[in-house]
Amino acid sequence: MDVSMDKIVTLCKTRGFIFPGSDIYGGLANSWDYGPLGVELKNNIKQAWWKKFVTSRLDMVGIDAALIMNPKVWEASGHIATFSDPLVECKQCHERYRADQIDLSKSCQKCGNKGTFTEPAAFNMMLRTWLGPKQDASAEVYLRPETAQAMFVDFNHVLLTSRKRIPFGIAQCGRVFRNEITPGNFIFRQREFDLMEFEYFVHPSEWEKHFEYWLKQMHEWMEECGFDKSKIHELEVSPEDRAHYSKRTVDIEFDYPFGRKELYGLAYRTDFDLMKHAEKSGEKLDYTDPETKEKYVPHVVEPAFGVDRTLLVTLLSAYHEEEVEGETRVVLRLPKHLAPIKLAVLPLSKKDELSSVAEPLAKQLAKRWRTDYDETQSIGKRYRRQDEIGTPFCVTVDFETLEDKAVTVRERDSMKQARVPLAELEDYLSKQLGC
Ligand code: GAP
């Protein structure tokens, strides 16, 4: 279904997925803090990605590099020269905008003045700081705007220690920083966000085959995340819009409530980065085929996935409203492996004889699955609360439990209930949850 951003933002705030950052001080320029449910959902996304693209494959290894790299990295990669967006300023009120995101023939959104913008100028998006006690140009460093560069800079170390042969990939997942001119649309465009990406090193003659393969894998990933397929589109990025390092880029776009915009990117980075780093550092960054003895600089295909956009599209796709017994039920139909809470143990009422069974049961289940325990409010309200945060199963302990040593397990999407003996409960849930 189509859901408004207001509904998602409100759900995130009221249920503990995502709060405005530094809220008690009035916030800070579109920064967001992930709360108790948000952090679980985010971790589940990262783990599912790492499992699919790294640990379940023989041709992929991971790294976790420093966020601050030698500034020469960014000179070589071209980020200092070209990682910029076009900036315009209203001559009247000095409000700044991204030139490609507003209609320059219209009035300034802030002061209403028309036709008063400066000419677009390149605004570098890297965040700068100083390392160590000096605060001068010699100590100037950048917070990384992408994780990719460490995969190129560490290429020789990884190749030597992992003993991988081409084709193979190096993956990384971590925080990146971009001084966006206009952050916004909730977590869609932020100044710090998490990125999951890998550099897949291939023989130069084979990049097209690998490009097609990874594009299909990206679609498979989106299906596993439960994304609304009808809202996913591919965009062949034109040469003038491609990043400086790319010879082909396909953007995966999504129809967000605020319009069709980028979700992920797949780029053919050629040998651009390895060549530039070899040139600047003086270190050879090439590969010798152990069988043919052919020596070459590998080419790179790079799928890049924003974690926060993944989370946003997961929520947008999972959100459903439906009529149940004359009332509106909000349900997050999250894929089970992504759901922040897997189980809720709910004693039918707040009575000691029920709690004495339900609480130890919840503690036992929590050893295997993220489990919530809730004994206040009516059972109907508690079911609705769990539906709203996407909990796949509720386990209800009632007075019959004391007699028949069984509990009621309610499934989120169908709302069907099954009576399951306590002795078989873990096996039953393990089958249902698939983990
Ligand atoms: N290494 C390639 C690279 O960084 P990118 O298209 O600039 O490519 C990759 O970024 C992904 O990061 C995007 O497809 C998107 O999912 C996410 N992303 C980019 N800018 C973002 C921002 N300001 N806030 C949140 N996510 C962002």
Side-chain angles (χ1 to χ4, degrees), residues 80-319:
I80 290 181
T82 58
F83 193 63
S84 51
D85 274 336
L87 175 84
V88 289
E89 189 174 302
C90 170
K91 287 181 188 164
Q92 177 89 3
C93 70
H94 303 294
E95 184 71 2
R96 293 180 157 195
Y97 300 95
R98 243 178 84 168
D100 56 343
Q101 285 182 347
I102 58 163
D103 185 346
L104 294 172
S105 65
K106 289 201 172 140
S107 312
C108 168
Q109 284 162 19
K110 194 172 176 206
C111 70
N113 240 48
K114 199 168 174 187
T116 59
F117 297 105
T118 56
E119 281 302 305
F123 174 79
N124 192 290
M125 292 200 291
M126 284 202 293
L127 277 154
R128 240 179 300 181
T129 186
W130 300 276
L131 210 56
K134 278 194 183 169
Q135 295 200 341
D136 61 18
S138 70
E140 216 167 69
V141 289
Y142 301 91
L143 303 184
R144 65 181 183 189
E146 63 169 5
T147 69
Q149 292 307 318
M151 270 94 87
F152 301 122
V153 171
D154 290 350
F155 178 75
N156 281 344
H157 284 309
V158 176
L159 187 64
L160 193 71
T161 52
S162 69
R163 302 174 68 228
K164 290 289 166 205
R165 288 183 181 192
I166 278 182
F168 80 96
I170 309 178
Q172 192 169 195
C173 172
R175 188 58 61 105
V176 299
F177 301 83
R178 296 183 186 181
N179 199 9
E180 295 281 358
I181 297 168
T182 42
N185 285 325
F186 192 34
I187 55 171
F188 174 79
R189 193 179 305 286
Q190 300 172 87
R191 292 193 170 122
E192 55 172 295
F193 57 96
D194 283 343
L195 198 51
M196 313 181 279
E197 57 183 356
F198 52 88
E199 311 308 313
Y200 200 73
F201 298 94
V202 303
H203 188 277
S205 66
E206 297 201 316
W207 74 269
E208 277 158 311
K209 175 180 95 182
H210 292 290
F211 195 96
E212 293 311 321
Y213 169 79
W214 287 116
L215 189 55
K216 280 204 189 96
Q217 288 292 300
M218 291 175 88
H219 281 284
E220 198 179 287
W221 158 258
M222 292 187 280
E223 201 167 332
E224 287 161 11
C225 291
F227 292 178
D228 183 342
K229 232 177 167 170
S230 67
K231 296 192 165 123
I232 294 171
H233 310 274
E234 281 180 16
L235 173 78
E236 187 72 48
V237 180
S238 63
E240 53 280 14
D241 287 338
R242 284 197 297 250
H244 60 280
Y245 50 71
S246 174
K247 272 232 173 101
R248 185 182 173 198
T249 297
V250 170
D251 277 354
I252 306 279
E253 297 191 313
F254 189 80
D255 294 326
Y256 300 89
F258 44 84
R260 184 174 298 177
K261 296 199 183 298
E262 182 186 337
L263 167 57
Y264 298 145
L266 174 65
Y268 168 44
R269 289 182 84 128
T270 67
D271 56 1
F272 177 89
D273 302 86
L274 288 180
M275 290 287 261
K276 290 283 177 198
H277 287 305
E279 230 171 76
K280 181 117 190 138
S281 68
E283 283 275 327
K284 283 204 171 90
L285 294 170
D286 51 27
Y287 176 80
T288 306
D289 188 297
E291 270 147 37
T292 63
K293 307 295 174 215
E294 185 192 358
K295 198 177 198 164
Y296 58 92
V297 177
H299 280 218
V300 168
V301 174
E302 179 203 60
F305 306 72
V307 176
D308 308 72
R309 287 189 194 175
T310 306
L311 192 141
L312 177 58
V313 172
T314 301
L315 290 176
L316 289 167
S317 301
Y319 187 97

Side-chain angles (χ1 to χ4, degrees), residues 272-395:
F272 177 89
D273 302 86
L274 288 180
M275 290 287 261
K276 290 283 177 198
H277 287 305
E279 230 171 76
K280 181 117 190 138
S281 68
E283 283 275 327
K284 283 204 171 90
L285 294 170
D286 51 27
Y287 176 80
T288 306
D289 188 297
E291 270 147 37
T292 63
K293 307 295 174 215
E294 185 192 358
K295 198 177 198 164
Y296 58 92
V297 177
H299 280 218
V300 168
V301 174
E302 179 203 60
F305 306 72
V307 176
D308 308 72
R309 287 189 194 175
T310 306
L311 192 141
L312 177 58
V313 172
T314 301
L315 290 176
L316 289 167
S317 301
Y319 187 97
H320 284 85
E321 283 177 12
E322 55 194 33
E323 283 297 302
V324 176
E325 291 164 9
E327 279 183 27
T328 304
R329 169 174 101 120
V330 172
V331 56
L332 278 190
R333 296 188 194 277
L334 292 170
K336 296 186 184 82
H337 69 291
L338 296 184
I341 307 281
K342 305 284 187 253
L343 306 169
V345 175
L346 314 171
L348 190 63
S349 63
K350 201 170 179 249
K351 291 266 166 34
D352 284 349
E353 58 265 54
L354 296 187
S355 309
S356 66
V357 176
E359 210 175 334
L361 177 65
K363 284 184 180 158
Q364 180 61 30
L365 295 172
K367 289 180 187 163
R368 285 186 72 176
W369 300 286
R370 194 81 177 97
T371 300
D372 199 5
Y373 179 72
D374 188 1
E375 55 182 15
T376 52
Q377 292 190 318
S378 75
I379 191 72
K381 278 199 176 138
R382 281 180 282 160
Y383 281 153
R384 292 288 179 270
R385 185 179 174 277
Q386 295 299 333
D387 291 341
E388 229 182 303
I389 62 172
T391 307
F393 293 101
C394 290
V395 176

